[in-house]
Amino acid sequence: METLFSISIALAAGLLMSRVSKPLGLPSVTAYLVAGILVGPYCLGRIGINGLGFISAENVKEFELICDVALGFIAFAIGNEFRLSQLKKVGGAATFIGIWQAVIATALVDITLVALHFVLGDRLPISMAITLGAIAAATAPAATLMVVRQYKAKGKLTDLLLPIVAIDDAVGLIIFSVSFGIAKALEKGEFSLTAIIVEPVLEIVCSLLLGLAMGLLFSLCERFFSSNSKRLSLSITFVFLTVALSMVEFDIGGIHIGFSALLVCMMLGTVFCNVCDFSAEIMDKTDKWTVPLFALFFVLSGAELELNVFSNIAIVGIGVAYIVSRSLGKYLGAYAGAKLMKCDEKTTRYLGITLLPQAGVALGMSVTVMELGEVGSVIRNIVLFSVLIYEIFGPVLTKIALTKAGNIVPKPKEKDRKNRTAPAKIS
């Protein structure tokens, strides 16, 4: 009962906040995140009534399964952007820019924080600097996808953006694994070539192979059903199943094998869209089914944000340096990459702004760095601080950039619509 109360209150808060944000021109993502903060442990949860909001961080974690499933559907939807017809147009540019901007962001954060190390000393060790640099590469696909969907963004920038966001996760995973391996060597004297190179490469390869197998099986099974409702049910079943399989981990000969749920589900969507001839219709129906799921996901994400990070001045200071250098790195990397790939002027100018949101992948990395002990704890708090800022302002900036690029066409005001439809007076 308490679980259902919490879910219903979370959804109601998200919907009410979206109505408040609409006249302000804010994206629904931002509204849901703010709603999550309001029903989270630092606001409504302080009353201490279980079911009336979320009373603690542990209470929010109880709904982690919902977030895992939502991320699976988000990745599945992004896979739709990898249709061969579309990749022939933007595939090369998306791959190059995706790699380039991630590397530039990491390099700029590394340079900034290493320079700060010589000012702050042990409060910002080298291991922390290079780990934060690696985390900087990650971009949040969820917020970007939601803004694109809400405003029905279409155009050259949007066509390039979603593949880049997907590629970004694979690149970020490799950069993080290498940098984190070096950080562990600096902190604990443990250096493992297997953990730095072999395991991250295997994770990406295994994730893509699992997604390929599930995508082919999914496409085959869909052909046994002619009813759209049953095809939709099968789609949901396969995303659930794929998310579950991507959680499996095992060891072979001392090598740890794991999967990235985002990459597996993205590959599932990619294969399905390119193999199944009626995939567009099924994808459209799936998108509509997932609307409340995504709303709940973002409300939960808002409830999970740690507001107490503002109480530590050192964390805020390093966090500000991280946010500024990462934002600059993302923008300059995307700008330079788009220039080199000879993209149009508006795409070149505004692409980097759309790559600023950061959440799920970065938070997952921040959990891994807890292995570094006290240094890992500080890194996690800095990431929590940056995610709080990026998730609130990132969707707004993404909307502005897509509008400036002409990919979002502002709707005429209600008054203007009435004036245009009203019959002309005869004098």
Side-chain angles (χ1 to χ4, degrees):
M1 184 180 72
E2 290 171 351
T3 300
L4 292 175
F5 265 125
S6 296
I7 291 174
S8 60
I9 287 172
L11 279 171
L15 292 171
L16 289 172
M17 190 55 63
S18 68
R19 293 304 303 166
V20 173
S21 67
K22 191 173 181 179
L24 302 175
L26 298 175
S28 294
V29 176
T30 303
Y32 296 147
L33 288 165
V34 173
I37 293 173
L38 294 177
V39 300
Y42 295 94
C43 293
L44 189 60
R46 283 196 174 275
I47 297 175
I49 301 175
N50 207 357
L52 184 65
F54 304 99
I55 61 174
S56 66
E58 290 72 23
N59 187 200
V60 181
K61 287 287 184 184
E62 293 173 9
F63 299 87
E64 196 169 14
L65 182 61
I66 294 174
C67 296
D68 291 337
V69 171
L71 282 172
F73 277 103
I74 288 165
F76 179 65
I78 289 176
N80 190 38
E81 304 302 319
F82 285 88
R83 292 180 183 271
L84 290 178
S85 57
Q86 186 70 12
L87 286 178
K88 289 177 182 177
K89 299 178 184 177
V90 301
T95 302
F96 177 80
I97 298 171
I99 296 171
W100 186 258
Q101 55 84 27
V103 172
I104 294 298
T106 295
L108 197 55
V109 172
D110 278 345
I111 292 169
T112 302
L113 297 185
V114 168
L116 274 177
H117 160 73
F118 293 104
V119 177
L120 299 175
D122 291 340
R123 284 181 289 179
L124 178 56
I126 296 292
S127 58
M128 184 188 299
I130 62 174
T131 303
L132 285 168
I135 294 173
T139 300
T144 303
L145 179 65
M146 283 290 285
V147 173
V148 169
R149 278 189 180 175
Q150 180 184 350
Y151 297 100
K152 296 179 174 62
K154 291 181 180 179
K156 292 181 179 179
L157 174 53
T158 304
D159 291 341
L160 197 60
L161 171 61
L162 293 177
I164 287 175
V165 170
I167 291 165
D168 185 86
D169 286 328
V171 177
L173 178 63
I174 294 174
I175 293 174
F176 175 75
S177 298
V178 174
S179 297
F180 183 57
I182 296 171
K184 283 177 70 176
L186 291 172
E187 283 294 313
K188 300 183 177 182
E190 300 174 0
F191 183 84
S192 171
L193 197 62
T194 299
I196 293 175
I197 298 176
V198 177
E199 289 181 358
V201 171
L202 275 176
E203 180 172 335
I204 292 171
V205 172
C206 290
S207 296
L208 295 178
L209 288 175
L210 177 59
L212 173 64
M214 293 300 293
L216 292 173
L217 182 60
F218 178 30
S219 301
L220 176 64
C221 292
E222 285 279 12
R223 299 183 186 280
F224 290 100
F225 300 92
S226 56
S227 165
N228 281 337
S229 60
K230 287 185 173 62
R231 285 174 173 172
L232 173 61
S233 297
L234 188 64
S235 302
I236 295 168
T237 300
F238 261 85
V239 175
F240 273 63
L241 179 59
T242 304
V243 171
L245 290 174
S246 66
M247 294 178 178
V248 175
E249 297 180 3
F250 54 92
D251 294 308
I252 298 178
I255 298 176
H256 181 75
I257 306 293
F259 302 94
S260 166
L262 283 173
L263 289 179
V264 176
C265 291
M266 183 191 72
M267 192 63 174
L268 172 74
T270 301
V271 174
F272 175 63
C273 289
N274 286 286
V275 173
C276 186
D277 52 8
F278 49 81
S279 61
E281 185 179 359
I282 300 302
M283 278 289 192
D284 183 57
K285 290 184 179 297
T286 304
D287 289 347
K288 293 176 181 177
W289 181 87
T290 54
V291 169
L293 177 65
F294 289 171
L296 183 57
F297 165 74
F298 282 106
V299 173
L300 289 170
S301 297
E304 195 176 16
L305 294 175
E306 295 280 354
L307 301 186
N308 61 1
V309 294
F310 288 111
S311 62
N312 191 316
I313 300 300
I315 287 175
V316 172
I318 297 171
V320 169
Y322 169 82
I323 290 169
V324 172
S325 55
R326 177 184 178 270
S327 300
L328 192 60
K330 284 284 181 181
Y331 182 81
L332 293 177
Y335 184 91
K339 267 289 190 192
L340 290 170
M341 297 307 295
K342 299 180 180 178
C343 296
D344 65 280
E345 183 183 350
K346 286 186 176 179
T347 298
T348 302
R349 185 183 301 173
Y350 297 111
L351 176 61
I353 298 173
T354 64
L355 297 173
L356 296 183
Q358 188 175 47
V361 177
L363 289 173
M365 291 175 177
S366 72
V367 172
T368 303
V369 302
M370 294 298 286
E371 295 178 23
L372 296 178
E374 187 177 343
V375 169
S377 180
V378 176
I379 292 173
R380 176 158 174 79
N381 283 328
I382 292 169
V383 172
L384 288 169
F385 170 75
S386 66
V387 164
L388 177 64
I389 302 301
Y390 277 127
E391 282 297 271
I392 291 176
F393 296 103
V396 178
L397 293 173
T398 298
K399 179 203 169 185
I400 293 171
L402 289 171
T403 304
K404 292 282 187 183
N407 284 218
I408 294 177
V409 180
K411 293 181 180 179
K413 292 182 179 179
E414 190 67 29
K415 186 176 180 181
D416 293 338
R417 287 201 296 271
K418 287 180 180 178
N419 289 339
R420 284 198 297 271
T421 56
K425 292 182 179 179
I426 299 175
S427 56

